[in-house]
Amino acid sequence: MISASPQKRLNRTTRLLLSADAHLGSPFSAVTKRNPELGTLLQQASLDSFTSIVDLALDEHVDALILAGDVFDSSTQDPKTREFFTTQMARLAEQNIPVIAIRGNHDALLGNDAYKEFGANVYLLHADSPSVEIGNIVFHGLSFDTDNPSASLLPQYPDPVAGRKNIGVMHTSVEKMPGYNTYAPCTLEELKSHGYDLWALGHVHADFIDTLGSVPVVMPGIPQPRKFEERLGGFAVLAELGEEAASFQCHQVGKIEFVECNVDLSGCADEREVTQALRDGLQSIQNPDRQVAVRLKASSWQHSSDWLTDLAMEELEGMERVHLDKAIVAPAQRPLGLLPTAPRDAAPTSPISA
């Protein structure tokens, strides 16, 4: 077990910042294909959200930053991504803040030695070096050595060290959460019975905090969502561990949020009414604090998704902080007495029955 000796000792109340699944270097391929401008914004937002995590660690004077896997989106990073990460680690090193990291399924093949160049304050936990002691805390973790581990890693985790606070760091499909590939699965009950004082998890991109019983289990989620299905992410979690109690605060670090905007166009008599309904809907989801990627879902009995996409993109040209992710048309019943409205520069369309 590595024993690290930063200049400051951890206090009786320990402050940790928990993060996971930064996916630095993600190309945002699916979004970029639909909307290149939004794809570019998301690539920058991914870096900016990680910078905010480091800012938060510095502002809160945390005792350690935990990165619970998938720090990088793949095991091959471009030089700019590596330089960015190295720079952020150096900022933490200047304030003697250690970083505890493990590899997940995305960066599983990065290798045990790759993190050494990121700074002496960065500790990658893996099978050959699963624990590091810093102050009065022992951090335990195992990195993925394959991108699809099917068996639980929990039996390989070291026993807790007596007389110390023990923190477990794991990338896992805890409780086999739906919508996520089943990697290194385990249950909350199994984690809590291992004898550690806290578990910091990665892999699931939606945040959750389980404080039932005496062993909290925290999944901070993805800091910058990459797609609409990850819209519940966007956070890092500040943990305070006292002698008898623990508290947790979710901090917003995401720069672009994904939202759904539902617009009913079924009762619109002409294109002017369609445009106004669309404009009202898009304006309603503007956020003064963050950029918004909108999944537009319209109820219509005659309009196509392509036509709606073109109209929405035109409306968004003059609207700040809102960007189209995708437009979807849901079939609706045509109201009696309404005739179909023709798209501009197009021949009248025939009514479409629901």
Side-chain angles (χ1 to χ4, degrees), residues 4-246:
S5 300
Q7 293 181 9
K8 63 177 182 178
R9 299 285 292 180
L10 298 186
N11 298 322
R12 290 174 64 83
T13 297
T14 301
R15 295 164 60 81
L16 304 172
L17 186 59
L18 314 183
S19 184
D21 300 284
H23 288 277
L24 298 176
S26 173
F28 296 90
S29 300
V31 175
T32 299
K33 185 176 181 180
R34 293 192 297 268
N35 186 342
E37 179 184 7
L38 176 57
T40 299
L41 288 172
L42 282 168
Q43 291 175 22
Q44 185 60 49
S46 177
L47 301 178
D48 292 343
S49 67
F50 192 81
T51 299
S52 291
I53 291 171
V54 174
D55 290 343
L56 182 61
L58 295 170
D59 292 343
E60 295 290 342
H61 306 287
V62 299
D63 298 302
L65 168 63
I66 295 178
L67 302 176
D70 285 354
V71 175
F72 298 102
D73 192 57
S74 74
S75 297
T76 304
Q77 302 86 43
D78 63 89
K80 289 185 178 180
T81 301
R82 295 181 67 85
E83 180 182 3
F84 166 80
F85 186 71
T86 303
T87 299
Q88 297 305 316
M89 297 300 97
R91 294 177 60 207
L92 295 169
E94 290 177 356
Q95 297 301 318
N96 300 309
I97 296 178
V99 179
I100 313 300
I102 58 173
R103 297 189 307 270
N105 54 291
H106 274 257
D107 49 11
L109 305 181
L110 187 57
N112 294 339
D113 295 331
Y115 275 76
K116 292 181 180 178
E117 63 187 77
F118 295 136
N121 64 316
V122 181
Y123 301 92
L124 178 70
L125 304 181
H126 52 84
D128 295 333
S129 182
S131 303
V132 57
E133 182 175 358
I134 303 176
N136 67 333
I137 290 187
V138 182
F139 297 91
H140 308 278
L142 291 173
S143 290
F144 283 10
D145 293 316
T146 174
D147 58 4
N148 59 349
S150 58
S152 173
L153 297 179
L154 185 58
Q156 303 174 43
Y157 272 67
D159 292 332
V161 177
R164 297 287 187 271
K165 290 182 180 178
N166 291 264
I167 310 297
V169 186
M170 181 183 287
H171 204 78
T172 175
S173 304
V174 63
E175 300 288 327
K176 296 184 178 180
M177 293 217 169
Y180 294 88
N181 291 327
T182 304
Y183 298 139
C186 63
T187 67
L188 291 172
E189 182 180 354
E190 290 169 340
L191 290 174
K192 293 184 177 187
S193 64
H194 194 73
Y196 293 171
D197 299 285
L198 168 70
W199 281 96
L201 308 182
H203 183 51
V204 177
H205 290 180
D207 66 291
F208 74 85
I209 300 174
D210 186 304
T211 56
L212 296 177
S214 60
V215 183
V217 179
V218 179
M219 184 85 72
I222 190 169
Q224 174 53 59
R226 300 171 301 166
K227 54 187 178 180
F228 178 74
E229 291 74 16
E230 298 173 346
R231 61 191 180 278
L232 297 181
F235 300 95
V237 177
L238 180 64
E240 292 194 1
L241 307 179
E243 290 300 306
E244 298 181 355

Side-chain angles (χ1 to χ4, degrees), residues 307-324:
W307 184 82
L308 183 64
T309 297
D310 291 340
L311 185 59
M313 292 293 285
E314 187 173 310
E315 284 299 312
L316 289 173
E317 286 181 0
M319 196 174 298
E320 295 182 350
R321 301 184 305 280
V322 181
H323 313 275
L324 184 65

Side-chain angles (χ1 to χ4, degrees), residues 230-273:
E230 298 173 346
R231 61 191 180 278
L232 297 181
F235 300 95
V237 177
L238 180 64
E240 292 194 1
L241 307 179
E243 290 300 306
E244 298 181 355
S247 64
F248 303 92
Q249 295 180 345
C250 290
H251 288 259
Q252 178 76 49
V253 294
K255 305 304 177 184
I256 300 179
E257 62 176 342
F258 283 80
V259 300
E260 183 174 75
C261 178
N262 293 285
V263 181
D264 188 357
L265 305 179
S266 60
C268 295
D270 52 35
E271 185 178 330
R272 180 188 61 80
E273 291 186 4

